[in-house]
Amino acid sequence: MITVYLSGEQGMVTAAPDPLAALAAGGAVWVYLFEPTPDEERAVEAALAIDAPTPLERAALEESSRFYEEHGALFLTATLLGRRTEGAFVSGPVPFLLKRGTLVTVRNVKPRAFEIGRSRAS
């Protein structure tokens, strides 16, 4: 799933009704990928001229290589604790990419902080 947030009137952040069109038009503040398909990842990579780490690359990152710069983009990968529908919590890598004022997050876990951040951003 891909959600693109745009800066609106008086600094309000709103989700674009058509995320791929909004991404192509530019001006995204936050591109939020949750369990993205390969096509969604490719669309974001093409729009922002970045190479987002694949799920295998995210999981294999060593502590010493979790923060780096590449082609004008800053990359930070954090291991966050997420919720499950049932059972114990689960942890997983969550990359944060910043390029030209656009934040991109890619995740497969459900940390509560993302839900709080989305509501506060609006």
Side-chain angles (χ1 to χ4, degrees):
M1 176 183 80
I2 181 173
T3 307
V4 175
Y5 292 93
L6 304 168
S7 181
E9 292 183 29
Q10 300 177 355
M12 298 294 285
V13 176
T14 58
D18 183 346
L20 294 177
L23 188 61
V29 175
W30 180 16
V31 179
Y32 173 73
L33 294 163
F34 178 66
E35 297 180 344
T37 66
D39 287 341
E40 290 170 334
E41 278 200 44
R42 280 192 291 275
V44 171
E45 290 175 337
L48 297 175
I50 58 172
D51 183 18
T54 66
L56 287 176
E57 291 170 336
R58 292 192 294 264
L61 281 175
E62 296 179 20
E63 291 297 321
S64 62
S65 61
R66 291 185 171 244
F67 181 69
Y68 60 95
E69 182 178 358
E70 183 178 278
H71 305 294
L74 296 174
F75 293 77
L76 168 72
T77 300
T79 300
L80 300 179
L81 191 61
R83 296 174 179 249
R84 289 186 177 173
T85 312
E86 295 179 14
F89 288 98
V90 62
S91 67
V94 178
F96 296 82
L97 298 79
L98 183 62
K99 184 162 185 185
R100 296 189 308 258
T102 300
L103 173 66
V104 179
T105 56
V106 185
R107 66 187 185 89
N108 293 324
V109 295
K110 296 181 179 182
R112 179 88 171 110
F114 278 82
E115 304 307 318
I116 294 168
R118 284 194 319 192
S119 66
R120 287 186 181 171
S122 64

